[in-house]
């Protein structure tokens, strides 16, 4: 069955629709997409691009996957949505069972929400309400590390990197959180206690006003694409316990295999008190996130006054999203995804390595299905984006970072095309800027 091509009014788009982090006065061009299949995005002019972004970490199994399509279609015929207040349904229960089973054993209680940022708001609210229930009403602040990213809503912004984030714009409005230096040991560096020294000192000084530490385990995503030593998380867990502070892991970017482990926390075998997942949860089909917590946190919140957790989004546990998420997780566990991701890691490592010696490249790093080329200077988005599209790949750098996180279904040949495009475009861009 072929569908008629949609009519695309680019002029209307340009003058009326906000795209992420853009101006409406003079926006950079956007490329109209009419379809997506497997690892390819199909543009309106007929070009096909190999996708290097997985639509921001999400589409781990590519687009239009028959198994995921079937899950949505089957659920659609039952019901697309019902309110979650006073009602429940099989897709939510199945998915919650999977999440409780696959994450560390203490995390048994699941709160569904509609996006990653909201799941972070929920996590922060849980931590503050936990301490309030215990009579610790001063413990309302968050401690985090620099170069983090946790979302665009207000509490999430307040714990994202204060320099690359939006603190300047909203200073005076954002809650004032406590920032420690980001972990200074890279993924493979030997452990050195000073890696966590600044965070430890901040805990020592402020523990009585801190509800929780929030951090992205092992991989700091949109805040800088940094990979740090897993040992950091073990020490962090010990320090949080020592100082009486909850620990929140934000696995919205790393969850579901991206870093080479199902969850990045498995690099360290550490369990947080609260865990956020999103992005790849539905295989990129639609928006859904979840916040998991322990029996202790849930029971404490439920024991106090009002004895309720005060949150409930309209589209909480949307059945379509839960059904496709459950199917996506079953799909992921049905094949040897670890070997696939390890293969992508080797492929990226070898294909991106020519960048290491280029003048103007600061670092090349690869972990799991994530490859990063860090440049000395920021790229010009409009220019570099076009170079990639002209080479038949979809790569969207930001700032000084050109990076890849392809769908796991990518073939060696397509991965080679993608990584070679990065190497060539980086080379060309650096040459032109000299
Ligand atoms: C993307 C992201 C978020 C925000 O999720 P949204 O669904 O965009 O609201 C939060 N934390 C991390 C680590 C992310 O990568």
């Amino acid at each position: 069955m072929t569908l008629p091509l949609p009519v695309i009014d680019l002029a209307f788009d340009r003058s009326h629709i906000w795209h992420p982090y853009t101006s409406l006065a003079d926006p950079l061009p956007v490329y109209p997409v009419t379809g997506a299949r497997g690892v390819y995005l199909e543009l309106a002019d007929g070009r096909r691009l190999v996708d290097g972004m997985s639509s921001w970490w999400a589409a781990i199994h590519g687009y239009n996957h028959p198994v995921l399509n079937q899950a949505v279609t089957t659920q659609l015929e039952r019901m697309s949505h019902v309110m979650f207040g006073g009602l429940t349904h099989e897709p939510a229960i199945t998915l919650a069972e999977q999440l409780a089973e696959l994450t560390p054993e203490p995390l048994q209680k699941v709160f569904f929400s509609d996006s990653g940022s909201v799941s972070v708001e929920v996590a922060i609210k849980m931590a503050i309400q936990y301490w309030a229930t215990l009579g610790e009403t001063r413990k309302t602040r968050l401690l985090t590390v620099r170069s983090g990213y946790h979302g665009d809503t207000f509490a999430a912004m307040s714990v994202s990197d204060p320099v690359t984030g939006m603190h300047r714009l909203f200073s005076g409005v954002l809650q004032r959180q406590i920032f420690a230096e980001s972990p200074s040991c890279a993924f493979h560096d030997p452990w050195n206690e000073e890696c966590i020294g600044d965070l430890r000192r901040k805990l020592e000084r402020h523990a009585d006003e801190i509800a929780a530490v929030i951090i992205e385990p092992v991989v700091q995503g949109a805040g800088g694409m940094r990979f740090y030593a897993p040992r950091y998380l073990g020490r962090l867990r010990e320090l949080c316990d020592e100082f009486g502070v909850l620990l929140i892991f934000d696995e919205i970017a790393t969850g579901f295999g991206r870093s080479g482990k199902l969850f990045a926390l498995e690099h360290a075998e550490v369990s947080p008190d609260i865990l956020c997942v999103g992005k790849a949860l539905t295989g990129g089909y639609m928006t859904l996130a979840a916040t998991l917590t322990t029996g202790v946190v849930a029971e404490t919140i439920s024991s106090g006054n009002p004895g309720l957790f005060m949150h409930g989004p309209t589209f909480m546990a949307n059945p379509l999203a839960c059904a496709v998420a459950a199917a996506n997780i079953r799909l992921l566990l049905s094949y040897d995804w670890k070997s696939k991701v390890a293969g992508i890691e080797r492929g990226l490592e070898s294909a991106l390595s020519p960048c290491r010696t280029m003048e103007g490249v600061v670092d090349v790093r690869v972990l799991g299905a994530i490859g990063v080329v860090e440049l000395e200077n920021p790229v010009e988005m409009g220019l570099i984006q076009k170079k990639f599209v002209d080479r038949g790949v979809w790569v969207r750098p930001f700032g000084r970072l050109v990076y890849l996180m392809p769908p796991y279904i990518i073939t060696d040949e397509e991965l080679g095309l993608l990584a070679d495009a990065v190497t060539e475009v980086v080379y060309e861009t650096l040459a032109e800027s000299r």
Side-chain angles (χ1 to χ4, degrees), residues 50 347-348 351 393 410-424:
V50 178
L348 289 173
V393 302
I410 198 165
T411 64
D412 291 346
E413 199 188 344
E414 291 157 343
L415 185 66
L417 208 100
L418 204 51
D420 289 348
V422 167
T423 308
E424 287 166 31

Side-chain angles (χ1 to χ4, degrees), residues 87-349:
L87 298 173
T88 195
H89 44 77
E90 179 276 328
I93 297 168
T94 301
L95 178 58
E97 280 172 353
Q98 290 171 319
L99 292 175
E101 171 70 28
L102 295 173
T103 56
E105 203 273 316
L107 301 169
Q108 290 295 322
K109 314 291 178 180
V110 184
F111 188 101
F112 288 113
S113 58
D114 23 28
S115 76
S117 299
V118 175
S119 78
V120 169
E121 301 286 326
V122 166
I124 291 173
K125 205 190 247 191
M126 277 180 184
I128 294 172
Q129 202 179 327
Y130 169 85
W131 290 113
T133 305
L134 294 175
E136 299 267 7
T137 49
R138 281 196 65 210
K139 285 170 86 73
T140 57
R141 297 180 77 189
L142 278 293
L143 170 60
T144 188
V145 291
R146 291 178 185 275
S147 303
Y149 176 76
H150 298 287
D152 292 348
T153 53
F154 274 84
M157 270 197 292
S158 78
V159 288
S160 297
D161 187 84
V163 179
T164 60
M166 290 166 271
H167 286 247
R168 223 170 341 114
L169 200 53
F170 294 104
S171 67
V173 185
L174 285 189
Q175 204 185 350
R176 293 185 41 186
Q177 313 293 16
I178 303 163
F179 287 87
E181 292 310 317
S182 43
S184 54
C185 324
F187 187 80
H188 291 291
D189 284 356
W191 177 249
N192 168 355
E193 183 66 17
E194 206 29 48
C195 285
I196 201 167
D198 190 47
L199 185 132
R200 192 186 62 239
R201 288 185 285 277
K202 299 256 158 48
L203 266 177
E204 283 164 2
R205 187 158 347 126
H206 298 283
D208 60 336
E209 49 173 339
I210 295 174
V213 170
I214 182 167
I215 194 166
E216 298 153 276
V218 180
V219 177
Q220 293 188 289
M225 302 296 288
R226 300 172 79 253
F227 313 143
Y228 62 87
R231 189 66 195 280
Y232 188 96
L233 299 174
R235 275 301 285 143
L236 180 58
R237 179 72 267 183
E238 290 168 5
L239 289 169
C240 285
D241 292 342
E242 183 183 339
F243 288 96
V245 160
L246 294 178
L247 179 57
I248 304 171
F249 282 171
D250 177 348
E251 290 247 15
I252 293 166
T254 47
F256 307 99
R258 183 58 67 179
S259 75
K261 303 277 188 188
L262 193 58
F263 295 96
L265 57 80
E266 293 172 18
H267 288 284
E269 299 290 348
V270 168
S271 177
D273 300 292
I274 302 175
L275 174 71
C276 299
V277 295
K279 289 202 163 106
L281 176 60
T282 63
Y285 265 57
M286 54 191 92
T287 177
L288 181 72
T291 309
L292 281 85
T293 192
T294 62
V296 174
V297 170
E299 279 149 29
T300 303
I301 289 173
S302 308
S303 72
N305 186 7
L308 314 167
F309 181 61
M310 300 302 282
H311 211 101
T314 305
F315 286 95
M316 187 169 185
N318 172 257
L320 280 177
C322 288
V324 74
N328 175 56
I329 292 174
R330 271 194 302 273
L331 177 61
L332 181 62
L333 301 180
S334 73
Y335 65 95
D336 188 3
W337 63 268
K338 269 194 181 164
S339 303
K340 267 311 288 183
V341 170
I344 295 173
E345 181 172 66
R346 283 192 301 274
L348 289 173
E349 188 61 59

